[in-house]
């Protein structure tokens, strides 16, 4: 029995070591592949500056849109039963499993110049596809489930006794939501927004299909990595390192927030 436990322990330890190496080795290789001088030199290149500024701007805008429209939806689905709620939940989660390329072509068929909605917008001179707005829409589409799912779970975890107490004191439903429910679920909402921001920042497939790859207008950091790898590997690695550092900060922030009591 002791021998079996020892063998099992060694097997588990070897598995953990191998898996950890498999995950960390590619990331560490990015930092080993480029010198600090080349990294900082690449940060001054226009393609890197444009991609970084565009990604941060669009990801921030898309996250704000997701939070603004996703919070009421998550609250309603967490607190109320209505016909079709299961269908709404399914459609909300669909972008998580939908291939990004499929999401991109679906957005193009909906909002392109000849799309279901885009053809009517085009009559008023409004063009969405292959613009910065298209980047934001693509990010909203793929990132919204990460916030809505987290927000819904956070609202469901709030004890209704506090909401009932506020109602007995004469508070209206909007007041209860703003003054009681949302503050109690604040930690989950913030972590969901951070995850949504990170997903928007790393979006590639839907963006290139729906928004194209134009520097300064639609070329976000993932698209810039794909483009610069063909001629400027240092720039591609520099952008990849930036995304790795942002991802690490996002994970650390979510862990801190979820452990903290609000």
């Amino acid at each position: 029995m002791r021998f079996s436990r020892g063998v099992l322990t060694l097997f588990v330890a070897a598995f953990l070591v191998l898996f950890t190496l498999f995950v960390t080795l590619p990331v560490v290789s990015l930092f080993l592949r480029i010198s600090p001088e080349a990294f900082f030199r690449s940060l001054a290149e226009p393609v890197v500056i444009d991609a970084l500024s565009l990604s941060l701007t669009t990801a921030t805008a898309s996250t704000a849109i997701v939070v603004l429209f996703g919070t009421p939806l998550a609250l309603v689905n967490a607190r109320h039963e209505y016909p079709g709620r299961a269908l709404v939940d399914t459609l909300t989660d669909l972008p998580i499993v939908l291939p990004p390329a499929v999401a991109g072509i679906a957005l193009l068929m909906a909002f392109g110049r000849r799309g279901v909605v885009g053809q009517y917008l085009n009559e008023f001179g409004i063009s969405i596809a292959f613009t910065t707005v298209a980047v934001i829409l693509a990010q909203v589409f793929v990132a919204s489930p990460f916030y809505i799912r987290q927000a819904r779970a956070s609202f469901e975890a709030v004890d209704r006794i506090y909401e009932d107490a506020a109602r007995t004191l004469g508070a209206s439903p909007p007041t209860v939501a703003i003054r009681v429910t949302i503050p109690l679920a604040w930690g989950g909402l913030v972590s969901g927004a951070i995850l949504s921001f990170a997903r928007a920042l790393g979006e590639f497939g839907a963006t290139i299909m729906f928004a194209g790859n134009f520097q300064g207008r639609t070329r976000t950091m993932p698209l810039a990595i794909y483009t610069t790898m063909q001629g400027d590997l240092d720039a591609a690695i520099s952008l990849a390192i930036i995304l790795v550092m942002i991802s690490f900060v996002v994970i650390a922030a979510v862990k801190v927030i979820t452990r903290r009591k609000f």
Side-chain angles (χ1 to χ4, degrees):
M1 181 64 68
R2 292 181 180 177
F3 176 77
S4 298
R5 289 182 178 178
V7 172
L8 180 61
T9 301
L10 289 175
F11 176 79
V12 173
F15 176 79
L16 292 176
V17 170
L18 289 175
F19 182 78
T20 303
L21 287 174
F22 175 76
V23 174
T24 57
L25 183 59
V27 176
V28 173
S29 297
L30 286 173
F31 292 86
L32 297 177
R33 181 61 178 78
I34 187 173
S35 64
E37 295 79 11
F39 173 75
F40 289 108
R41 185 170 60 250
S42 296
L43 294 182
E45 296 184 8
V47 63
V48 176
I49 295 174
D50 290 344
L52 180 59
S53 60
L54 180 65
S55 291
L56 293 176
T57 301
T58 55
T60 301
S62 62
T63 302
I65 294 172
V66 168
V67 171
L68 180 62
F69 292 96
T71 302
L73 175 61
L75 182 58
V76 169
N77 283 356
R79 284 292 183 260
H80 302 284
E81 292 282 349
Y82 60 88
R85 193 184 78 162
L87 177 60
V88 172
D89 284 340
T90 301
L91 293 175
T92 300
D93 295 338
L94 184 62
I96 293 180
V97 298
L98 200 65
V102 175
I105 196 170
L107 289 168
L108 189 61
M109 294 301 101
F111 299 104
R113 290 185 178 181
R114 297 183 180 179
V116 175
V117 177
Q119 60 180 328
Y120 299 106
L121 296 176
N122 192 48
E123 293 180 0
F124 296 95
I126 301 175
S127 180
I128 295 179
F130 306 107
T131 65
T132 305
V133 175
V135 176
I136 295 174
L137 289 181
Q139 292 175 348
V140 169
F141 186 86
V142 301
S144 58
F146 291 86
Y147 174 77
I148 295 174
R149 285 169 61 91
Q150 180 66 34
R152 185 174 62 217
S154 299
F155 288 138
E156 290 174 346
V158 173
D159 195 334
R160 295 195 178 190
I161 190 173
Y162 301 108
E163 298 172 331
D164 294 337
R167 293 190 187 96
T168 59
L169 295 175
S172 62
T175 301
V176 172
I178 296 173
R179 301 290 298 273
V180 179
T181 310
I182 291 179
L184 289 175
W186 187 250
L189 300 182
V190 173
S191 63
I194 293 174
L195 289 174
S196 181
F197 175 82
R199 178 63 185 89
L201 202 64
E203 164 51 32
F204 176 83
T207 302
I208 198 171
M209 294 288 291
F210 181 43
N213 186 11
F214 305 102
Q215 183 175 343
R217 189 172 65 182
T218 65
R219 183 178 295 172
T220 56
M221 283 195 286
L223 272 65
I225 292 173
Y226 173 78
T227 303
T228 54
M229 274 193 66
Q230 303 174 23
D232 190 349
L233 187 59
D234 284 345
I237 294 176
S238 298
L239 285 168
I241 289 175
I242 293 173
L243 285 175
V244 167
M245 291 189 295
I246 292 175
S247 300
F248 183 84
V249 171
V250 165
I251 294 173
V254 170
K255 286 183 177 295
V256 170
I257 291 172
T258 53
R259 290 177 181 175
R260 181 179 174 184
K261 293 183 178 180
F262 286 81

